[in-house]
Amino acid sequence: MASSDEPRPARRGPARAVVIAVAGIALIAFASVASTGLLPARDRLVVIGDSLSTGFGTSAEESWPVLLARAEEAGPGRLEVVNAAENGSGYVAPGDEGDTFGTEVDQFVNEDTKVVLFFGSDNDFGNPPSQITEAATTAFQAARAKAAPDARLIVVGPPSYTFPADSELTSIRDALRTAADRTGSDFVDPIAEDWIAGHADELIGPDGEHPTSAGHERLAQLLEEVLAR
C-alpha cells in the first residue's frame, strides 16, 4: 500500500456486474429447492464496500463475497449474501457509478437483512476524519433503520499492506471506530489483527492494491470467523 505522499491507484472496473453475479449465485443456488418448501426463506447478508469486495483484479467469481456465499450455502445459517460493493466508493468518496457506502445501504438493505457488513475504505484518503466519522455514522444509522430490528452491523476497517500502517490509513480506521461506537455496531480492525500486512506478497496482486485469488480466499475465511464471533 502506498504511503500518504504517493499517488494511490484508483479502484476502477465494472462494479454493478459484481452485484448481479454475487446475488445471482446466492439466489439461483437455492431457487429450485426453496420453491419446494423444503427450506425456509433465508435472511440477507448485505456487503457494503469497494473494489476489495468486487473481485477487481481477479474476477467477480473469485471475490470473497462469492466464496462467503458458497460457505453459507453449506452452513447451518444459510444467509443469502448480496454484494452491494462498488469500485472506487467509500463513506465519503463516490464510486464509479456515483455511490457511497451510504447510498449502497439505501439501495440494498431492507427489512429481510439480518447482517450488514461494511468493509473499507481507503478510498476516503484525503478527507477529514471528522467528515468520515459523520458519513459513516449516517450510513450505520440508515442501515439500522432499514434492516430487520435484530440485525447485526459489522464494520470492518481498511486493511494495511505494510507495517507500520500509513498514518492516514489509521486515521480512517479510528474515524470508523468512533462511528461504530456511536451506533452500537461491531468494529473489526484488520490492521491490529494483521489480516494482510505480513502476507502481502501472496495476498495482493501486482497493482499493489487488490487481492489475488489467495487474498480473497483469506478474506472469506477471516470474515467467516468474524460472523461466528
Side-chain angles (χ1 to χ4, degrees), residues 32-69:
S32 61
V33 180
S35 65
T36 68
L38 297 178
L39 290 176
R42 291 179 300 139
D43 296 326
R44 288 161 57 99
L45 184 160
V46 177
V47 176
I48 305 295
D50 57 22
S51 60
L52 295 186
S53 303
T54 65
F56 185 71
T58 53
S59 69
E61 291 75 17
E62 295 180 279
S63 67
W64 70 261
V66 169
L67 301 179
L68 186 64

PDB file of all heavy atoms in Angstrom, residues 32-69:
ATOM      1  N   SER A  32     -34.520 -23.609  -6.830  1.00  0.00           N
ATOM      2  CA  SER A  32     -35.311 -24.806  -7.062  1.00  0.00           C
ATOM      3  C   SER A  32     -35.677 -25.496  -5.764  1.00  0.00           C
ATOM      4  O   SER A  32     -36.774 -26.017  -5.617  1.00  0.00           O
ATOM      5  CB  SER A  32     -34.545 -25.766  -7.973  1.00  0.00           C
ATOM      6  OG  SER A  32     -33.327 -26.146  -7.370  1.00  0.00           O
ATOM      7  N   VAL A  33     -34.749 -25.490  -4.790  1.00  0.00           N
ATOM      8  CA  VAL A  33     -35.028 -26.166  -3.522  1.00  0.00           C
ATOM      9  C   VAL A  33     -36.025 -25.375  -2.693  1.00  0.00           C
ATOM     10  O   VAL A  33     -36.967 -25.931  -2.126  1.00  0.00           O
ATOM     11  CB  VAL A  33     -33.715 -26.371  -2.745  1.00  0.00           C
ATOM     12  CG1 VAL A  33     -33.999 -27.078  -1.434  1.00  0.00           C
ATOM     13  CG2 VAL A  33     -32.732 -27.175  -3.582  1.00  0.00           C
ATOM     14  N   ALA A  34     -35.827 -24.053  -2.651  1.00  0.00           N
ATOM     15  CA  ALA A  34     -36.711 -23.229  -1.837  1.00  0.00           C
ATOM     16  C   ALA A  34     -38.144 -23.294  -2.360  1.00  0.00           C
ATOM     17  O   ALA A  34     -39.101 -23.247  -1.589  1.00  0.00           O
ATOM     18  CB  ALA A  34     -36.218 -21.787  -1.813  1.00  0.00           C
ATOM     19  N   SER A  35     -38.301 -23.413  -3.685  1.00  0.00           N
ATOM     20  CA  SER A  35     -39.646 -23.433  -4.247  1.00  0.00           C
ATOM     21  C   SER A  35     -40.423 -24.663  -3.824  1.00  0.00           C
ATOM     22  O   SER A  35     -41.651 -24.684  -3.908  1.00  0.00           O
ATOM     23  CB  SER A  35     -39.565 -23.357  -5.775  1.00  0.00           C
ATOM     24  OG  SER A  35     -38.935 -24.518  -6.291  1.00  0.00           O
ATOM     25  N   THR A  36     -39.750 -25.695  -3.386  1.00  0.00           N
ATOM     26  CA  THR A  36     -40.444 -26.911  -2.942  1.00  0.00           C
ATOM     27  C   THR A  36     -40.956 -26.796  -1.520  1.00  0.00           C
ATOM     28  O   THR A  36     -41.688 -27.650  -1.056  1.00  0.00           O
ATOM     29  CB  THR A  36     -39.489 -28.114  -3.018  1.00  0.00           C
ATOM     30  OG1 THR A  36     -38.458 -27.963  -2.042  1.00  0.00           O
ATOM     31  CG2 THR A  36     -38.875 -28.247  -4.393  1.00  0.00           C
ATOM     32  N   GLY A  37     -40.524 -25.737  -0.814  1.00  0.00           N
ATOM     33  CA  GLY A  37     -40.939 -25.582   0.560  1.00  0.00           C
ATOM     34  C   GLY A  37     -40.077 -26.327   1.549  1.00  0.00           C
ATOM     35  O   GLY A  37     -40.380 -26.360   2.737  1.00  0.00           O
ATOM     36  N   LEU A  38     -39.014 -26.979   1.078  1.00  0.00           N
ATOM     37  CA  LEU A  38     -38.157 -27.743   1.978  1.00  0.00           C
ATOM     38  C   LEU A  38     -37.260 -26.837   2.813  1.00  0.00           C
ATOM     39  O   LEU A  38     -36.794 -27.228   3.870  1.00  0.00           O
ATOM     40  CB  LEU A  38     -37.285 -28.713   1.168  1.00  0.00           C
ATOM     41  CG  LEU A  38     -38.051 -29.780   0.381  1.00  0.00           C
ATOM     42  CD1 LEU A  38     -37.063 -30.632  -0.415  1.00  0.00           C
ATOM     43  CD2 LEU A  38     -38.863 -30.656   1.325  1.00  0.00           C
ATOM     44  N   LEU A  39     -37.011 -25.607   2.326  1.00  0.00           N
ATOM     45  CA  LEU A  39     -36.158 -24.675   3.052  1.00  0.00           C
ATOM     46  C   LEU A  39     -36.939 -23.411   3.371  1.00  0.00           C
ATOM     47  O   LEU A  39     -37.709 -22.928   2.540  1.00  0.00           O
ATOM     48  CB  LEU A  39     -34.928 -24.293   2.205  1.00  0.00           C
ATOM     49  CG  LEU A  39     -33.884 -25.377   1.983  1.00  0.00           C
ATOM     50  CD1 LEU A  39     -32.803 -24.856   1.050  1.00  0.00           C
ATOM     51  CD2 LEU A  39     -33.264 -25.822   3.294  1.00  0.00           C
ATOM     52  N   PRO A  40     -36.770 -22.852   4.569  1.00  0.00           N
ATOM     53  CA  PRO A  40     -37.399 -21.569   4.864  1.00  0.00           C
ATOM     54  C   PRO A  40     -36.706 -20.452   4.109  1.00  0.00           C
ATOM     55  O   PRO A  40     -35.607 -20.623   3.598  1.00  0.00           O
ATOM     56  CB  PRO A  40     -37.168 -21.432   6.383  1.00  0.00           C
ATOM     57  CG  PRO A  40     -35.915 -22.209   6.630  1.00  0.00           C
ATOM     58  CD  PRO A  40     -35.958 -23.370   5.666  1.00  0.00           C
ATOM     59  N   ALA A  41     -37.388 -19.319   3.997  1.00  0.00           N
ATOM     60  CA  ALA A  41     -36.765 -18.153   3.375  1.00  0.00           C
ATOM     61  C   ALA A  41     -35.509 -17.780   4.146  1.00  0.00           C
ATOM     62  O   ALA A  41     -35.475 -17.854   5.381  1.00  0.00           O
ATOM     63  CB  ALA A  41     -37.747 -16.984   3.368  1.00  0.00           C
ATOM     64  N   ARG A  42     -34.485 -17.376   3.405  1.00  0.00           N
ATOM     65  CA  ARG A  42     -33.210 -17.084   4.049  1.00  0.00           C
ATOM     66  C   ARG A  42     -33.079 -15.612   4.394  1.00  0.00           C
ATOM     67  O   ARG A  42     -33.623 -14.740   3.729  1.00  0.00           O
ATOM     68  CB  ARG A  42     -32.060 -17.517   3.140  1.00  0.00           C
ATOM     69  CG  ARG A  42     -31.956 -19.014   3.002  1.00  0.00           C
ATOM     70  CD  ARG A  42     -30.839 -19.381   2.074  1.00  0.00           C
ATOM     71  NE  ARG A  42     -31.077 -18.820   0.753  1.00  0.00           N
ATOM     72  CZ  ARG A  42     -30.131 -18.268   0.000  1.00  0.00           C
ATOM     73  NH1 ARG A  42     -28.903 -18.186   0.440  1.00  0.00           N
ATOM     74  NH2 ARG A  42     -30.420 -17.796  -1.196  1.00  0.00           N
ATOM     75  N   ASP A  43     -32.340 -15.326   5.456  1.00  0.00           N
ATOM     76  CA  ASP A  43     -32.027 -13.962   5.821  1.00  0.00           C
ATOM     77  C   ASP A  43     -30.921 -13.433   4.921  1.00  0.00           C
ATOM     78  O   ASP A  43     -30.116 -14.190   4.388  1.00  0.00           O
ATOM     79  CB  ASP A  43     -31.562 -13.908   7.285  1.00  0.00           C
ATOM     80  CG  ASP A  43     -32.661 -14.315   8.242  1.00  0.00           C
ATOM     81  OD1 ASP A  43     -33.836 -14.035   7.955  1.00  0.00           O
ATOM     82  OD2 ASP A  43     -32.339 -14.919   9.281  1.00  0.00           O
ATOM     83  N   ARG A  44     -30.855 -12.118   4.772  1.00  0.00           N
ATOM     84  CA  ARG A  44     -29.880 -11.494   3.886  1.00  0.00           C
ATOM     85  C   ARG A  44     -28.670 -10.982   4.673  1.00  0.00           C
ATOM     86  O   ARG A  44     -28.806 -10.436   5.756  1.00  0.00           O
ATOM     87  CB  ARG A  44     -30.504 -10.289   3.167  1.00  0.00           C
ATOM     88  CG  ARG A  44     -31.506 -10.631   2.108  1.00  0.00           C
ATOM     89  CD  ARG A  44     -32.390  -9.457   1.764  1.00  0.00           C
ATOM     90  NE  ARG A  44     -31.665  -8.280   1.318  1.00  0.00           N
ATOM     91  CZ  ARG A  44     -31.506  -7.927   0.036  1.00  0.00           C
ATOM     92  NH1 ARG A  44     -32.033  -8.685  -0.912  1.00  0.00           N
ATOM     93  NH2 ARG A  44     -30.862  -6.830  -0.285  1.00  0.00           N
ATOM     94  N   LEU A  45     -27.506 -11.169   4.069  1.00  0.00           N
ATOM     95  CA  LEU A  45     -26.282 -10.510   4.494  1.00  0.00           C
ATOM     96  C   LEU A  45     -25.882  -9.586   3.357  1.00  0.00           C
ATOM     97  O   LEU A  45     -25.644 -10.045   2.241  1.00  0.00           O
ATOM     98  CB  LEU A  45     -25.169 -11.514   4.774  1.00  0.00           C
ATOM     99  CG  LEU A  45     -23.834 -10.973   5.318  1.00  0.00           C
ATOM    100  CD1 LEU A  45     -23.045 -12.101   5.990  1.00  0.00           C
ATOM    101  CD2 LEU A  45     -22.952 -10.344   4.238  1.00  0.00           C
ATOM    102  N   VAL A  46     -25.855  -8.285   3.612  1.00  0.00           N
ATOM    103  CA  VAL A  46     -25.523  -7.315   2.576  1.00  0.00           C
ATOM    104  C   VAL A  46     -24.107  -6.803   2.808  1.00  0.00           C
ATOM    105  O   VAL A  46     -23.779  -6.328   3.906  1.00  0.00           O
ATOM    106  CB  VAL A  46     -26.522  -6.147   2.569  1.00  0.00           C
ATOM    107  CG1 VAL A  46     -26.123  -5.098   1.518  1.00  0.00           C
ATOM    108  CG2 VAL A  46     -27.935  -6.658   2.281  1.00  0.00           C
ATOM    109  N   VAL A  47     -23.270  -6.934   1.780  1.00  0.00           N
ATOM    110  CA  VAL A  47     -21.891  -6.446   1.824  1.00  0.00           C
ATOM    111  C   VAL A  47     -21.861  -5.033   1.258  1.00  0.00           C
ATOM    112  O   VAL A  47     -22.242  -4.806   0.104  1.00  0.00           O
ATOM    113  CB  VAL A  47     -20.947  -7.351   1.013  1.00  0.00           C
ATOM    114  CG1 VAL A  47     -19.533  -6.767   0.984  1.00  0.00           C
ATOM    115  CG2 VAL A  47     -20.940  -8.757   1.590  1.00  0.00           C
ATOM    116  N   ILE A  48     -21.412  -4.091   2.078  1.00  0.00           N
ATOM    117  CA  ILE A  48     -21.231  -2.697   1.656  1.00  0.00           C
ATOM    118  C   ILE A  48     -19.728  -2.469   1.531  1.00  0.00           C
ATOM    119  O   ILE A  48     -18.995  -2.659   2.501  1.00  0.00           O
ATOM    120  CB  ILE A  48     -21.831  -1.716   2.688  1.00  0.00           C
ATOM    121  CG1 ILE A  48     -23.314  -2.030   2.951  1.00  0.00           C
ATOM    122  CG2 ILE A  48     -21.637  -0.272   2.230  1.00  0.00           C
ATOM    123  CD1 ILE A  48     -24.226  -1.838   1.773  1.00  0.00           C
ATOM    124  N   GLY A  49     -19.249  -2.098   0.349  1.00  0.00           N
ATOM    125  CA  GLY A  49     -17.810  -1.983   0.214  1.00  0.00           C
ATOM    126  C   GLY A  49     -17.357  -1.369  -1.090  1.00  0.00           C
ATOM    127  O   GLY A  49     -18.130  -0.746  -1.820  1.00  0.00           O
ATOM    128  N   ASP A  50     -16.062  -1.580  -1.376  1.00  0.00           N
ATOM    129  CA  ASP A  50     -15.414  -1.017  -2.551  1.00  0.00           C
ATOM    130  C   ASP A  50     -14.819  -2.146  -3.391  1.00  0.00           C
ATOM    131  O   ASP A  50     -15.284  -3.283  -3.327  1.00  0.00           O
ATOM    132  CB  ASP A  50     -14.350   0.012  -2.125  1.00  0.00           C
ATOM    133  CG  ASP A  50     -13.299  -0.582  -1.185  1.00  0.00           C
ATOM    134  OD1 ASP A  50     -13.114  -1.823  -1.176  1.00  0.00           O
ATOM    135  OD2 ASP A  50     -12.648   0.186  -0.452  1.00  0.00           O
ATOM    136  N   SER A  51     -13.767  -1.851  -4.166  1.00  0.00           N
ATOM    137  CA  SER A  51     -13.240  -2.855  -5.088  1.00  0.00           C
ATOM    138  C   SER A  51     -12.497  -3.988  -4.390  1.00  0.00           C
ATOM    139  O   SER A  51     -12.188  -4.998  -5.028  1.00  0.00           O
ATOM    140  CB  SER A  51     -12.313  -2.202  -6.117  1.00  0.00           C
ATOM    141  OG  SER A  51     -11.229  -1.566  -5.481  1.00  0.00           O
ATOM    142  N   LEU A  52     -12.203  -3.877  -3.094  1.00  0.00           N
ATOM    143  CA  LEU A  52     -11.670  -5.022  -2.368  1.00  0.00           C
ATOM    144  C   LEU A  52     -12.712  -6.126  -2.252  1.00  0.00           C
ATOM    145  O   LEU A  52     -12.387  -7.270  -1.947  1.00  0.00           O
ATOM    146  CB  LEU A  52     -11.197  -4.606  -0.972  1.00  0.00           C
ATOM    147  CG  LEU A  52     -10.027  -3.630  -0.893  1.00  0.00           C
ATOM    148  CD1 LEU A  52      -9.606  -3.443   0.567  1.00  0.00           C
ATOM    149  CD2 LEU A  52      -8.849  -4.092  -1.730  1.00  0.00           C
ATOM    150  N   SER A  53     -13.984  -5.765  -2.501  1.00  0.00           N
ATOM    151  CA  SER A  53     -15.074  -6.728  -2.364  1.00  0.00           C
ATOM    152  C   SER A  53     -15.734  -7.099  -3.684  1.00  0.00           C
ATOM    153  O   SER A  53     -16.649  -7.928  -3.697  1.00  0.00           O
ATOM    154  CB  SER A  53     -16.140  -6.168  -1.409  1.00  0.00           C
ATOM    155  OG  SER A  53     -15.581  -5.861  -0.149  1.00  0.00           O
ATOM    156  N   THR A  54     -15.320  -6.477  -4.787  1.00  0.00           N
ATOM    157  CA  THR A  54     -15.964  -6.776  -6.077  1.00  0.00           C
ATOM    158  C   THR A  54     -15.224  -7.821  -6.893  1.00  0.00           C
ATOM    159  O   THR A  54     -15.751  -8.303  -7.900  1.00  0.00           O
ATOM    160  CB  THR A  54     -16.081  -5.508  -6.948  1.00  0.00           C
ATOM    161  OG1 THR A  54     -14.765  -5.057  -7.304  1.00  0.00           O
ATOM    162  CG2 THR A  54     -16.844  -4.402  -6.231  1.00  0.00           C
ATOM    163  N   GLY A  55     -13.997  -8.143  -6.504  1.00  0.00           N
ATOM    164  CA  GLY A  55     -13.188  -9.053  -7.303  1.00  0.00           C
ATOM    165  C   GLY A  55     -12.354  -8.348  -8.341  1.00  0.00           C
ATOM    166  O   GLY A  55     -11.750  -8.995  -9.202  1.00  0.00           O
ATOM    167  N   PHE A  56     -12.285  -7.012  -8.264  1.00  0.00           N
ATOM    168  CA  PHE A  56     -11.478  -6.252  -9.220  1.00  0.00           C
ATOM    169  C   PHE A  56     -10.020  -6.718  -9.130  1.00  0.00           C
ATOM    170  O   PHE A  56      -9.466  -6.840  -8.051  1.00  0.00           O
ATOM    171  CB  PHE A  56     -11.570  -4.760  -8.899  1.00  0.00           C
ATOM    172  CG  PHE A  56     -10.867  -3.883  -9.897  1.00  0.00           C
ATOM    173  CD1 PHE A  56     -11.378  -3.706 -11.164  1.00  0.00           C
ATOM    174  CD2 PHE A  56      -9.688  -3.239  -9.556  1.00  0.00           C
ATOM    175  CE1 PHE A  56     -10.736  -2.890 -12.083  1.00  0.00           C
ATOM    176  CE2 PHE A  56      -9.032  -2.426 -10.465  1.00  0.00           C
ATOM    177  CZ  PHE A  56      -9.559  -2.246 -11.735  1.00  0.00           C
ATOM    178  N   GLY A  57      -9.424  -7.001 -10.285  1.00  0.00           N
ATOM    179  CA  GLY A  57      -8.058  -7.516 -10.319  1.00  0.00           C
ATOM    180  C   GLY A  57      -8.005  -9.020 -10.482  1.00  0.00           C
ATOM    181  O   GLY A  57      -6.986  -9.559 -10.904  1.00  0.00           O
ATOM    182  N   THR A  58      -9.089  -9.706 -10.137  1.00  0.00           N
ATOM    183  CA  THR A  58      -9.207 -11.144 -10.405  1.00  0.00           C
ATOM    184  C   THR A  58     -10.497 -11.341 -11.205  1.00  0.00           C
ATOM    185  O   THR A  58     -10.519 -11.167 -12.400  1.00  0.00           O
ATOM    186  CB  THR A  58      -9.213 -11.968  -9.107  1.00  0.00           C
ATOM    187  OG1 THR A  58     -10.225 -11.456  -8.209  1.00  0.00           O
ATOM    188  CG2 THR A  58      -7.870 -11.888  -8.405  1.00  0.00           C
ATOM    189  N   SER A  59     -11.580 -11.707 -10.539  1.00  0.00           N
ATOM    190  CA  SER A  59     -12.884 -11.806 -11.192  1.00  0.00           C
ATOM    191  C   SER A  59     -13.956 -11.806 -10.114  1.00  0.00           C
ATOM    192  O   SER A  59     -13.681 -12.105  -8.948  1.00  0.00           O
ATOM    193  CB  SER A  59     -12.991 -13.083 -12.022  1.00  0.00           C
ATOM    194  OG  SER A  59     -13.031 -14.222 -11.179  1.00  0.00           O
ATOM    195  N   ALA A  60     -15.168 -11.462 -10.521  1.00  0.00           N
ATOM    196  CA  ALA A  60     -16.278 -11.469  -9.565  1.00  0.00           C
ATOM    197  C   ALA A  60     -16.460 -12.841  -8.938  1.00  0.00           C
ATOM    198  O   ALA A  60     -16.761 -12.967  -7.745  1.00  0.00           O
ATOM    199  CB  ALA A  60     -17.565 -11.023 -10.263  1.00  0.00           C
ATOM    200  N   GLU A  61     -16.263 -13.894  -9.736  1.00  0.00           N
ATOM    201  CA  GLU A  61     -16.483 -15.253  -9.249  1.00  0.00           C
ATOM    202  C   GLU A  61     -15.483 -15.665  -8.177  1.00  0.00           C
ATOM    203  O   GLU A  61     -15.736 -16.584  -7.405  1.00  0.00           O
ATOM    204  CB  GLU A  61     -16.422 -16.242 -10.412  1.00  0.00           C
ATOM    205  CG  GLU A  61     -17.594 -16.133 -11.384  1.00  0.00           C
ATOM    206  CD  GLU A  61     -17.487 -14.913 -12.299  1.00  0.00           C
ATOM    207  OE1 GLU A  61     -16.368 -14.344 -12.401  1.00  0.00           O
ATOM    208  OE2 GLU A  61     -18.496 -14.516 -12.883  1.00  0.00           O
ATOM    209  N   GLU A  62     -14.326 -14.981  -8.142  1.00  0.00           N
ATOM    210  CA  GLU A  62     -13.304 -15.305  -7.151  1.00  0.00           C
ATOM    211  C   GLU A  62     -13.337 -14.372  -5.945  1.00  0.00           C
ATOM    212  O   GLU A  62     -12.517 -14.521  -5.040  1.00  0.00           O
ATOM    213  CB  GLU A  62     -11.917 -15.233  -7.799  1.00  0.00           C
ATOM    214  CG  GLU A  62     -11.675 -16.258  -8.874  1.00  0.00           C
ATOM    215  CD  GLU A  62     -10.290 -16.151  -9.479  1.00  0.00           C
ATOM    216  OE1 GLU A  62     -10.100 -15.293 -10.359  1.00  0.00           O
ATOM    217  OE2 GLU A  62      -9.393 -16.892  -9.042  1.00  0.00           O
ATOM    218  N   SER A  63     -14.261 -13.430  -5.930  1.00  0.00           N
ATOM    219  CA  SER A  63     -14.294 -12.446  -4.844  1.00  0.00           C
ATOM    220  C   SER A  63     -14.720 -13.093  -3.533  1.00  0.00           C
ATOM    221  O   SER A  63     -15.442 -14.101  -3.519  1.00  0.00           O
ATOM    222  CB  SER A  63     -15.251 -11.305  -5.187  1.00  0.00           C
ATOM    223  OG  SER A  63     -16.591 -11.779  -5.228  1.00  0.00           O
ATOM    224  N   TRP A  64     -14.289 -12.492  -2.427  1.00  0.00           N
ATOM    225  CA  TRP A  64     -14.600 -13.087  -1.132  1.00  0.00           C
ATOM    226  C   TRP A  64     -16.099 -13.154  -0.846  1.00  0.00           C
ATOM    227  O   TRP A  64     -16.544 -14.106  -0.193  1.00  0.00           O
ATOM    228  CB  TRP A  64     -13.826 -12.401  -0.001  1.00  0.00           C
ATOM    229  CG  TRP A  64     -14.244 -11.000   0.318  1.00  0.00           C
ATOM    230  CD1 TRP A  64     -13.647  -9.841  -0.087  1.00  0.00           C
ATOM    231  CD2 TRP A  64     -15.348 -10.604   1.141  1.00  0.00           C
ATOM    232  NE1 TRP A  64     -14.320  -8.753   0.406  1.00  0.00           N
ATOM    233  CE2 TRP A  64     -15.358  -9.193   1.174  1.00  0.00           C
ATOM    234  CE3 TRP A  64     -16.324 -11.298   1.852  1.00  0.00           C
ATOM    235  CZ2 TRP A  64     -16.308  -8.462   1.886  1.00  0.00           C
ATOM    236  CZ3 TRP A  64     -17.279 -10.579   2.564  1.00  0.00           C
ATOM    237  CH2 TRP A  64     -17.251  -9.176   2.578  1.00  0.00           C
ATOM    238  N   PRO A  65     -16.945 -12.182  -1.299  1.00  0.00           N
ATOM    239  CA  PRO A  65     -18.373 -12.368  -1.047  1.00  0.00           C
ATOM    240  C   PRO A  65     -18.951 -13.614  -1.725  1.00  0.00           C
ATOM    241  O   PRO A  65     -19.828 -14.266  -1.176  1.00  0.00           O
ATOM    242  CB  PRO A  65     -18.999 -11.081  -1.610  1.00  0.00           C
ATOM    243  CG  PRO A  65     -17.922 -10.056  -1.504  1.00  0.00           C
ATOM    244  CD  PRO A  65     -16.679 -10.818  -1.839  1.00  0.00           C
ATOM    245  N   VAL A  66     -18.455 -13.954  -2.930  1.00  0.00           N
ATOM    246  CA  VAL A  66     -18.920 -15.174  -3.585  1.00  0.00           C
ATOM    247  C   VAL A  66     -18.466 -16.401  -2.796  1.00  0.00           C
ATOM    248  O   VAL A  66     -19.242 -17.343  -2.589  1.00  0.00           O
ATOM    249  CB  VAL A  66     -18.401 -15.243  -5.031  1.00  0.00           C
ATOM    250  CG1 VAL A  66     -18.645 -16.626  -5.628  1.00  0.00           C
ATOM    251  CG2 VAL A  66     -19.084 -14.188  -5.895  1.00  0.00           C
ATOM    252  N   LEU A  67     -17.225 -16.383  -2.353  1.00  0.00           N
ATOM    253  CA  LEU A  67     -16.725 -17.501  -1.549  1.00  0.00           C
ATOM    254  C   LEU A  67     -17.502 -17.618  -0.241  1.00  0.00           C
ATOM    255  O   LEU A  67     -17.802 -18.727   0.213  1.00  0.00           O
ATOM    256  CB  LEU A  67     -15.231 -17.311  -1.265  1.00  0.00           C
ATOM    257  CG  LEU A  67     -14.321 -17.217  -2.492  1.00  0.00           C
ATOM    258  CD1 LEU A  67     -12.865 -17.003  -2.064  1.00  0.00           C
ATOM    259  CD2 LEU A  67     -14.445 -18.459  -3.369  1.00  0.00           C
ATOM    260  N   LEU A  68     -17.843 -16.481   0.349  1.00  0.00           N
ATOM    261  CA  LEU A  68     -18.633 -16.495   1.578  1.00  0.00           C
ATOM    262  C   LEU A  68     -20.032 -17.038   1.304  1.00  0.00           C
ATOM    263  O   LEU A  68     -20.579 -17.805   2.102  1.00  0.00           O
ATOM    264  CB  LEU A  68     -18.705 -15.085   2.157  1.00  0.00           C
ATOM    265  CG  LEU A  68     -19.371 -14.951   3.530  1.00  0.00           C
ATOM    266  CD1 LEU A  68     -18.579 -15.693   4.599  1.00  0.00           C
ATOM    267  CD2 LEU A  68     -19.510 -13.469   3.903  1.00  0.00           C
ATOM    268  N   ALA A  69     -20.608 -16.662   0.160  1.00  0.00           N
ATOM    269  CA  ALA A  69     -21.933 -17.179  -0.205  1.00  0.00           C
ATOM    270  C   ALA A  69     -21.915 -18.692  -0.337  1.00  0.00           C
ATOM    271  O   ALA A  69     -22.834 -19.380   0.104  1.00  0.00           O
ATOM    272  CB  ALA A  69     -22.387 -16.534  -1.513  1.00  0.00           C
TER     273      ALA A  69
END
